[in-house]
Structures are given as C-alpha cells and as structure tokens.
Amino acid sequence: MESSPEKAALAGDTIAREFAGILSAGTVFRRAEPLAKHTTLRVGGPVDYYIEPADEMDLAKVLDFCRRRGISFFILGRGSNLLVRDLGFRGAAVCLAQPVFAKIAAAGDQLVCGAGARLKAVALEAKRAELGGLEFLEGIPGSVGGALRMNAGAMGAATFDAIDRVRVMDFCGHVAVLTPSEMAVSYRQCGTLKESVALEAVFRGSRADRAEIEARMISFSKKRWASQPSAPSAGCIFKNPASVPAGRLVEELGLKGLRCGGARVSDEHGNFVVNDGGATAADILELIGMVKEKARQARGIELEIEVEIIGE
Ligand SMILES: Cc1cc2nc3c(=O)[nH]c(=O)nc-3n(C[C@H](O)[C@H](O)[C@H](O)COP(=O)(O)OP(=O)(O)OC[C@H]3O[C@@H](n4cnc5c(N)ncnc54)[C@H](O)[C@@H]3O)c2cc1C
C-alpha cells in the first residue's frame, strides 16, 4: 500500500489517542514538537511525539508501548550533546524533565540524584553538603542521565569515577540497581544506557571544607570560560584522538573560523562548532565533514564524532 502524508497523519492520530489512553493526566504529551527548542545547538526538526512522563510508572508504559508498537524512541536529557537533523525524528522523544525525576538528596558521603537533575544543581548541592570531588560537574550543561550515558568528564575527572550505583529501567519497564562494574563504561560512553534508561544515580563524595569546594568550582569555571565559546554549541564535537587533542588539531590545521552557512568552527576552541544564528543541522554536518576530511588528508587522523547525531 502506498504511503501518503494523509495516511501518516491518520496513523499519528491513532498512536496519539492510544498514548493518551494509557498515560496519566500528569504526563506531558505533545505532537510535532520542534527539537531545536530542546537542544543547546538550537537546531533540529520536529519529533512526532514528545513525552515527559509524570512518574516511573508512566515511563514504563511509554517504553512498553513503543516496544510493542515498533515506535522508535530516544531519551532526551538537556540536549547538550545532541545534533538533530533538520527533518526531525520519526518516533518519540522521552524526556525526564518533570521535577519528580530531578530530586537531589545528600545522605552521608553520598548524593542521591534523579536522572533529570541538572549537573550544576548536583555540584551546588555537593558544595552545600560539604562533599568534595564533584566540582567538575559544575560547568557541564547536561542532566545526570545524559552525563551517565556519555560518561561526561571535565578537569581530569569523569562521571563514573564518582558513581556508587545507578538505578536503571530496561525497555520492558524492569528496574534494577547496578554498580559501575556491572555496567559497560568507557571514554565518553556507557553502553549499558543504550539499552536502558537511567532513573537515579548515587554519587560518592569525600568530606571537604565548603570554602575549598567553592574555590575549586571558581577555578574550574574560570578555566572553562577562558577557552569555551558562549554561542550555542553542543560542546566538543570530536572525541580526542590518541595522538593530539581534537581542538589543538583543528587549530593546527588552520580551521578555526571556518564557516558553512550559519555554522562556524569556534575561534575560542577548535573542537566547538557554534551556531551563529540561523544555522541548520545540514550546515553543521557539512562543516563537520569538512574538518574530518582535512584531518584525514593532512594528518591521516580519522576524527571520531562525540556528539550524537539523530533524526532524518
Ligand atoms: C557548552 C557545552 C560544554 C560542554 N562541556 C562538556 C564537558 O566539559 N565534558 C563533557 O563530557 N561534555 C560536555 N558537554 C556535552 C554535554 O553537556 C554532555 O555530554 C552531557 O552529559 C549531556 O547531557 P544531556 O542531559 O544534555 O544529554 P542529551 O544531550 O540530551 O543526551 C545525550 C545522550 O544521553 C542519553 N540520555 C539522556 N538522558 C538519559 C537517561 N536518563 N538514561 C539514558 N540515556 C540518557 C540520550 O539519549 C543521548 O544518547 C558540553 C556541552 C556544551 C553545550
């Protein structure tokens, strides 16, 4: 049977009605939500279904429904490591943005944090509770869930260095608590979270003086803002190759300032591509391709992309 926009719209209406039938009133459900609103790069077309579950029960229902109906989905954090293509995403974006997923509570030397909590809020609560070792999270503009999935790191530390355990939900809705040794964790990724959703993480800190923590946070912040652009970006575009940091490589190749439409290689940091306003995902992807090509030709280095590219 031939597919047409009308048929696709009818199928979309049916799925939206079925979603509405299983989810509680507290769950946010929107259709054709522009993902540019949810990514720090400010690009990306619409997602068919945008869902903020009211609680874990609704999250389990969403995952189960998507699995049974063959609906593609992804978990959306704060969109700070995502490059969504211009035609958007066919399926669902599931975002743990409701306050119930963003709770942070100190318990002894540990901090129990919902996956939707902002990393900055985690760092600030650690300071309040006089727990040192989490200062590096302060300037990473993501959520706990995104930081776990990406094993995000800064200032010589990475998320899983400070994790005691993670509560996860698999795509069938089953919940388990895992320690880092039970999870597939490596540089800038956690494979286990490709097949499950992080619900909550328990961070470990060490007792420290609040003033010391504050001083470390200020020094990290100064270091970051001395080298990082303020224009919209997704942080580092490429993983660091073994031989040279990607930012230095881009600088050595003379590519800082290189432009494609509204996208530009940052003058402040060679590993950042910024949206100067009006960039499309296609502009950014073309620019990334140009940098990769030059690195391959001039230095024989195959740059690996750190940001996640999704959509069509
Ligand atoms: C200005 C700037 C500076 C940055 N600096 C750093 C830095 O210093 N170090 C660093 O490592 N990164 C940095 N980043 C990149 C980014 O902030 C991190 O990768 C961050 O951890 C992503 O979190 P997020 O919530 O935005 O995730 P998103 O970008 O929304 O998603 C990233 C991935 O995580 C998955 N995900 C999100 N939530 C969950 C969940 N609950 N369960 C399972 N999977 C989930 C998504 O499906 C996706 O695969 C920077 C980005 C910007 C824009």
Side-chain angles (χ1 to χ4, degrees):
M1 199 190 292
E2 256 183 61
S3 67
S4 66
E6 290 78 17
K7 274 187 196 140
L10 275 176
D13 289 347
T14 306
I15 286 172
R17 261 197 311 275
E18 289 181 26
F19 264 127
I22 58 167
L23 300 175
S24 70
T27 285
V28 173
F29 182 91
R30 290 200 284 268
R31 288 185 68 183
E33 173 81 352
L35 285 169
K37 272 173 42 182
H38 297 275
T39 61
T40 53
L41 262 172
R42 301 279 173 257
V43 300
V47 63
D48 293 337
Y49 316 107
Y50 172 82
I51 306 168
E52 291 178 7
D55 51 28
E56 288 185 16
M57 200 183 289
D58 270 17
L59 171 64
K61 285 180 187 167
V62 169
L63 297 176
D64 180 62
F65 183 78
C66 288
R67 192 175 50 82
R68 282 191 293 107
R69 294 296 305 264
I71 298 169
S72 302
F73 67 91
F74 71 99
I75 309 298
L76 173 65
R78 297 188 68 81
S80 62
N81 201 56
L82 290 180
L83 171 47
V84 182
R85 292 194 179 91
D86 296 313
L87 292 181
F89 186 86
R90 300 293 66 81
V94 184
C95 187
L96 306 186
Q98 300 228 29
V100 68
F101 291 105
K103 292 179 183 159
I104 305 176
D109 290 350
Q110 299 188 331
L111 217 53
V112 184
C113 305
R118 291 180 63 185
L119 297 172
K120 190 175 208 73
V122 173
L124 289 175
E125 181 56 24
K127 181 176 76 170
R128 198 203 56 76
E130 303 198 305
L131 282 179
L134 303 179
E135 299 86 348
F136 73 99
L137 296 173
E138 175 270 344
I140 307 178
S143 64
V144 167
L148 291 165
R149 167 68 185 86
M150 298 311 302
N151 193 16
M155 313 293 158
T159 300
F160 271 91
D161 299 344
I163 290 294
D164 187 77
R165 56 195 186 275
V166 183
R167 209 156 62 79
V168 300
M169 181 182 281
D170 70 18
F171 295 162
C172 297
H174 302 129
V175 174
V177 176
L178 303 175
T179 59
S181 62
E182 294 171 307
M183 303 177 82
V185 179
S186 56
Y187 172 65
R188 294 294 174 267
Q189 67 165 319
C190 170
T192 309
L193 293 175
K194 279 187 187 168
E195 286 141 27
S196 54
V197 184
L199 299 172
E200 187 179 85
V202 179
F203 286 85
R204 225 181 311 102
S206 49
R207 287 276 140 225
D209 185 67
R210 197 171 295 161
E212 254 176 54
I213 297 175
E214 170 84 12
R216 257 198 301 274
M217 278 170 76
I218 291 173
S219 114
F220 285 173
S221 173
K222 274 190 185 151
K223 212 164 158 185
R224 181 178 285 276
W225 290 110
S227 64
Q228 187 177 287
S230 55
S233 77
C236 289
I237 289 288
F238 302 107
K239 294 187 179 182
N240 284 323
S243 51
V244 56
R248 191 186 312 153
L249 173 66
V250 171
E251 183 164 4
E252 286 172 5
L253 293 172
L255 298 177
K256 275 183 161 183
L258 185 68
R259 179 180 281 285
C260 187
R264 176 173 55 84
V265 176
S266 160
D267 296 303
E268 287 98 337
H269 194 310
N271 202 9
F272 278 58
V273 166
V274 296
N275 180 351
D276 271 339
T280 60
D283 292 340
I284 295 168
L285 284 165
E286 196 176 333
L287 190 57
I288 290 173
M290 285 155 74
V291 174
K292 277 185 70 135
E293 184 59 26
K294 182 83 186 192
R296 192 181 298 126
Q297 275 179 7
R299 301 280 286 271
I301 295 176
E302 197 56 49
L303 282 171
E304 204 185 326
I305 294 178
E306 181 170 314
V307 293
E308 196 171 326
I309 301 168
I310 61 169
E312 56 178 41

